[in-house]
């Protein structure tokens, strides 16, 4: 262990006074220490950052042009420079390796790698979407392509494989209208997380003016939403969006909203209305899905329900009206 620790440090001599370093106990472990001035070298893991970019249901991968794992495929990623944040590094690496200008959507996860004879590190991985550029092989890459969940090539690193396994699992989720049994499951979820007391989810299945929508993974309800239709003015209310905690960050809420918009259109709705507290992360999900802010009520929720009681109302226009009120 002592030899391995000295191997992994870039310093053999004290960077302050030049004295050869020796191993001494500092804290709970041996560390390289200068016996002359007491300087301690901390062997911190290297930090890398990258993105998982989805384009039309397919994930962007680059084929590595350098070792380690030359010729294998991976997500656009690389080490964070000293003068940049993890977010900046993820955006830079995606442009350098895959030619895409991206905006980050969410933190997908932090993955540890290395150990043993390998230097340890952590990969900070973000979901992102392309806003410019052109998909092409760039810095240190032989190729850049998109792959469907069922056609992934051999992946270079375990951290990338873990992330892609979760992505593929999320893309296997099915979106559909709920059965009565699934309505009972949603009611149990509602009770567990204390959304709204007394809501009758079976009524959303039985009443033609409502729809209960579920996201299902291998017969398990992992998310849900509901719609209420108002034929008199051609609107539909999108009442709730919920995703089970262990399925979050993988775009399921966005796909559930997209499915809700499709169902609303099938029912003849022109506009879908949603509301969200100003301090709730779901607000950004609605905005990224294409909703626009159309109003607010500054005292809407009970003070105990949210840190702020202001509600923003959002609209998604499924059909545009001409000045005379016709399509």
């Amino acid at each position: 262990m002592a030899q391995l620790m000295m191997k992994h440090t870039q310093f053999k001599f004290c960077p302050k006074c030049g004295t050869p370093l020796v191993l001494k106990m500092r804290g709970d472990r041996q560390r390289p220490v200068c016996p002359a001035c007491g300087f301690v070298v901390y062997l911190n893991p290297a930090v890398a950052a990258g993105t998982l970019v989805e384009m039309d249901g397919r994930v962007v991968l680059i084929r590595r042009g350098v070792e380690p794992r030359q010729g294998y495929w991976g997500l656009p990623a690389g080490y964070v420079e000293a003068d940049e944040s993890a977010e900046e590094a993820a955006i830079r690496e995606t442009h350098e390796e895959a030619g895409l200008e991206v905006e980050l959507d969410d933190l997908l996860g932090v993955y540890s790698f290395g150990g043993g004879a390998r230097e340890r590190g952590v990969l900070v991985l973000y979901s992102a979407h392309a806003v410019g550029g052109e998909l092409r092989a760039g810095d240190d890459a032989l190729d850049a392509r998109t792959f469907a969940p069922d056609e992934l090539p051999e992946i270079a690193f375990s951290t990338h494989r873990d992330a892609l396994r979760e992505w593929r699992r999320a893309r296997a989720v099915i979106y559909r209208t709920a059965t009565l049994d699934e309505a009972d499951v949603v009611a149990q979820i509602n009770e567990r997380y204390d959304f709204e007391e007394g809501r009758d989810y079976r009524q959303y299945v039985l009443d033609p003016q409502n729809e209960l929508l579920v996201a299902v993974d291998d017969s398990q309800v992992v998310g849900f939403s509901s719609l209420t239709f108002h034929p008199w003015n051609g609107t539909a209310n999108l009442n709730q969006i919920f995703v089970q905690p262990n399925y979050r960050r993988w775009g399921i809420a966005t796909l559930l909203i997209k499915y809700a918009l499709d169902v609303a259109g099938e029912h003849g709705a022109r506009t879908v209305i949603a509301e969200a507290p100003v301090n709730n992360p779901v607000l950004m999900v609605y905005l990224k899905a294409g909703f626009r802010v159309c109003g607010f009520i500054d005292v809407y929720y009970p003070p105990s329900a949210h840190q702020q009681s202001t509600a923003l109302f959002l609209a998604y226009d499924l059909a545009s009206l001409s000045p005379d009120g016709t399509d």
Side-chain angles (χ1 to χ4, degrees), residues 59 61 75 152 155 160-168:
V59 66
L61 298 178
L75 298 164
L152 294 179
I155 303 301
H160 296 209
R161 289 194 293 272
D162 291 343
L164 288 166
R165 186 181 304 114
E166 294 180 62
W167 172 76
R168 185 163 53 185

Side-chain angles (χ1 to χ4, degrees), residues 142-173:
L142 298 174
D143 197 0
R145 302 183 196 174
T146 61
F147 293 86
D150 60 352
E151 60 182 32
L152 294 179
E154 193 163 4
I155 303 301
F157 304 115
S158 62
T159 50
H160 296 209
R161 289 194 293 272
D162 291 343
L164 288 166
R165 186 181 304 114
E166 294 180 62
W167 172 76
R168 185 163 53 185
R169 177 187 178 191
R171 291 303 164 266
V173 169

Side-chain angles (χ1 to χ4, degrees), residues 167-219:
W167 172 76
R168 185 163 53 185
R169 177 187 178 191
R171 291 303 164 266
V173 169
I174 297 171
Y175 302 86
R176 66 181 184 221
T177 55
T179 64
L180 286 173
D181 287 342
E182 288 168 341
D184 293 337
V185 173
V186 169
Q188 294 170 9
I189 295 173
N190 179 74
E191 183 177 353
R192 185 183 314 142
Y193 290 95
D194 194 26
F195 293 133
E196 187 171 339
E197 186 176 352
R199 178 169 286 195
D200 184 1
Y201 287 99
R202 279 186 159 241
Q203 192 63 27
Y204 279 86
V205 177
L206 298 172
D207 185 350
Q209 298 306 314
N210 295 281
E211 287 280 15
L212 179 61
L213 314 175
V214 289
V216 179
D217 179 28
D218 194 23
S219 76

Side-chain angles (χ1 to χ4, degrees), residues 233-248:
N233 66 354
T235 65
N237 283 91
L238 184 55
N239 300 310
Q240 287 177 299
I241 292 288
F242 175 79
V243 177
Q244 295 274 23
N246 57 327
Y247 279 81
R248 291 175 186 171

